[in-house]
């Protein structure tokens, strides 16, 4: 397992992060969902493989993900040996002030999250989503208060326009607040739009990328058949992984993955991870493992020789850019 600083900081993380969206999702979805007992083997295997970075959020199964982490992982290893990332901002109830980035909600949320996680501090506390209501100055000051109080070590952000992250950085620099060190965004071989603005900003500003869905909801494992035959359980039941969402160029990328994987004697998913690690801004793709072998494969990929420039070019050549989302402008 390789390790590197998270962004321009002194926080050292494994270049594989285990994601917690499935913890507490048992019975909620057909393709993955674990209770506390089910999660134990995954935490054990991750630690045995050298993974020290674990990601969750308050909104992941309404706090159950954090609770499971607190009940299991926190008892397996000294706290200083692992890096815990969680998030705030999504809806946690129907009442006012149970969502968003207002000071009241953030301060209440961190206290509840620390109790669920059974820890005194969070290593990386991320803005899960912006609420388009709270002034940036307000939530950046509140996050800085958490850092100064010791309840949070570093802050980060997730899924937003690059210009909004630039505003966060500007406010932090103007007032001397804690600066974000990480960006958790959607980025993989068939979803590369973040290369236009966000990744460039992160490189220049010193943020490390910890992308979610690095295998595009399992599509880049290359175990699906165009037209629907042989679909995985997730492809059949996950609305975000339906066949009609994939373009001809996406299937061409999968074909390229298969060829390079065959030449290297490894799996297509491992090549997809090697492609992410070829990017200068990359820190740790977040793996939402549903089988123990997926952790093994990711860890093994970490020790493989990097892709050559020719292999990167072959993987990227079929890509067709989607229209810029515009972010409502």
């Amino acid at each position: 397992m390789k390790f590197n600083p998270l962004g321009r900081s002194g926080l050292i993380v494994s270049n594989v992060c285990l994601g917690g969206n499935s913890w507490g999702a048992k019975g909620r979805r057909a393709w993955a969902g674990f209770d506390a007992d089910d999660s134990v083997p995954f935490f054990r295997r991750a630690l045995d493989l050298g993974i020290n970075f674990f990601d969750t959020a308050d909104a992941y199964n309404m706090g159950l993900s954090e609770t499971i982490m607190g009940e299991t992982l926190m008892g397996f290893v000294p706290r200083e040996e692992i890096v815990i990332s969680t998030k705030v901002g999504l809806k946690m109830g129907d009442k006012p002030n149970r969502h968003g980035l207002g000071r009241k909600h953030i301060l209440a949320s961190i206290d509840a999250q620390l109790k669920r996680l059974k820890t005194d501090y969070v290593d990386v506390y991320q803005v899960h989503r912006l609420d388009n209501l709270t002034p940036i100055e307000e939530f950046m000051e509140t996050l800085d208060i958490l850092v100064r109080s010791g309840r949070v070590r570093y802050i980060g952000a997730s899924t937003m326009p690059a210009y909004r992250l630039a505003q966060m950085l500007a406010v932090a620099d103007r007032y001397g607040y804690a600066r974000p060190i990480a960006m958790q965004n959607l980025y993989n071989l068939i979803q590369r739009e973040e290369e236009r603005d966000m990744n460039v900003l992160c490189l220049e500003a010193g943020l490390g990328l910890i992308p979610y869905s690095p295998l595009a909801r399992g599509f880049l494992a290359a175990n699906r058949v165009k037209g629907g035959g042989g679909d995985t359980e997730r492809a059949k039941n996950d609305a975000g992984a339906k066949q009609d969402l994939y373009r001809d160029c996406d299937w061409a990328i999968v074909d390229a993955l298969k060829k390079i994987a065959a030449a290297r004697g490894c799996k297509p998913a491992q090549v997809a991870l090697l492609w992410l690690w070829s990017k200068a801004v990359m820190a740790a793709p977040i793996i939402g493992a549903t089988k123990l072998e997926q952790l093994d494969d990711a860890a093994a990929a970490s020790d493989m020789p990097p892709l050559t420039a020719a292999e990167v070019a072959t993987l990227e050549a079929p890509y067709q850019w989607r229209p810029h989302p515009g972010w409502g402008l």
Side-chain angles (χ1 to χ4, degrees):
M1 180 62 59
K2 293 184 175 67
F3 296 85
N4 41 259
L6 182 53
R8 198 177 298 153
S9 79
L11 184 63
I12 308 301
V13 298
S14 53
N15 67 349
V16 174
C17 177
L18 177 57
N21 203 1
S22 295
W23 308 332
K26 193 168 187 176
R28 294 170 179 246
R29 58 175 75 127
W31 67 92
F34 309 121
D35 59 20
D37 291 339
D38 298 326
S39 301
V40 167
F42 287 86
F43 290 132
R44 295 283 194 189
R45 183 67 61 84
L47 293 169
D48 288 344
L49 292 169
I51 294 172
N52 76 339
F53 194 12
F54 300 87
D55 177 77
T56 183
D58 57 357
Y60 289 172
N61 306 306
M62 297 304 290
L64 284 176
S65 178
E66 292 176 328
T67 297
I68 288 173
M69 183 186 291
E71 292 176 348
T72 56
L73 175 64
M74 291 302 184
F76 296 158
V77 65
R79 178 66 181 89
E80 62 270 18
E81 294 182 8
I82 55 176
V83 176
I84 301 300
S85 170
T86 192
K87 310 175 197 70
V88 66
L90 292 187
K91 189 174 182 179
M92 290 297 291
D94 293 328
K95 300 296 184 180
N97 299 306
R98 292 286 285 145
H99 60 88
L101 298 174
R103 180 173 289 121
K104 179 177 175 63
H105 179 60
I106 291 178
L107 293 178
S109 294
I110 189 63
D111 289 341
Q113 290 173 281
L114 293 176
K115 288 180 181 178
R116 289 194 291 265
L117 287 165
K118 298 186 185 303
T119 183
D120 295 328
Y121 68 94
V122 168
D123 295 287
V124 184
Y125 200 47
Q126 300 173 72
V127 171
H128 207 161
R129 295 292 187 275
L130 297 172
D131 63 15
N132 295 318
L133 174 66
T134 309
I136 289 180
E137 292 82 359
E138 178 178 336
F139 71 75
M140 288 298 292
E141 181 186 23
T142 306
L143 295 174
D144 185 68
I145 289 170
L146 297 185
V147 173
R148 294 179 185 275
S149 72
R151 285 174 285 179
V152 167
R153 299 297 191 249
Y154 298 91
I155 67 169
S158 176
T159 315
M160 63 179 61
Y163 83 90
R164 296 302 299 275
L165 175 60
Q167 290 174 337
M168 289 175 61
L169 292 165
V171 168
D173 292 344
R174 168 66 178 82
Y175 296 103
Y177 298 154
R179 283 176 117 249
I181 65 164
M183 165 52 65
Q184 185 169 330
N185 58 353
L186 177 61
Y187 184 49
N188 55 58
L189 259 172
I190 66 167
Q191 292 166 302
R192 292 172 48 199
E193 279 61 44
E194 293 286 81
E195 292 179 8
R196 287 170 163 147
D197 300 305
M198 180 60 79
N199 291 5
V200 176
L201 173 59
C202 288
L203 178 61
E204 292 185 353
L207 280 74
L209 287 191
I210 49 175
Y212 65 92
S213 196
L215 300 181
R217 295 176 181 258
F219 180 76
L220 295 175
N223 54 11
R224 302 176 190 175
V225 178
K226 189 175 183 179
D231 274 355
T232 63
E233 192 67 29
R234 181 165 192 175
K236 294 175 183 177
N237 293 282
D238 183 357
K242 295 296 184 183
Q243 285 282 345
D244 58 5
L245 295 178
Y246 301 114
R247 307 167 299 169
D248 288 343
C249 68
D250 299 333
W251 291 102
I253 290 169
V254 165
D255 289 340
L257 273 176
K258 291 178 178 178
K259 291 177 182 177
I260 292 175
R264 282 178 163 252
C266 66
K267 297 181 179 181
Q270 292 174 312
V271 176
L273 292 175
L274 287 170
W275 176 81
L276 284 169
W277 289 321
S278 74
K279 302 304 176 183
V281 290
M282 192 56 52
I286 299 173
I287 308 297
T290 58
K291 300 176 181 178
L292 290 175
E293 67 184 47
Q294 294 168 340
L295 284 176
D296 296 336
D297 291 344
S302 172
D303 293 326
M304 291 177 181
L307 295 180
T308 66
E311 288 173 325
V312 171
T314 297
L315 290 170
E316 294 182 352
Y319 191 74
Q320 296 177 8
W321 295 93
R322 295 176 178 82
H324 196 287
W327 300 107
L329 297 179

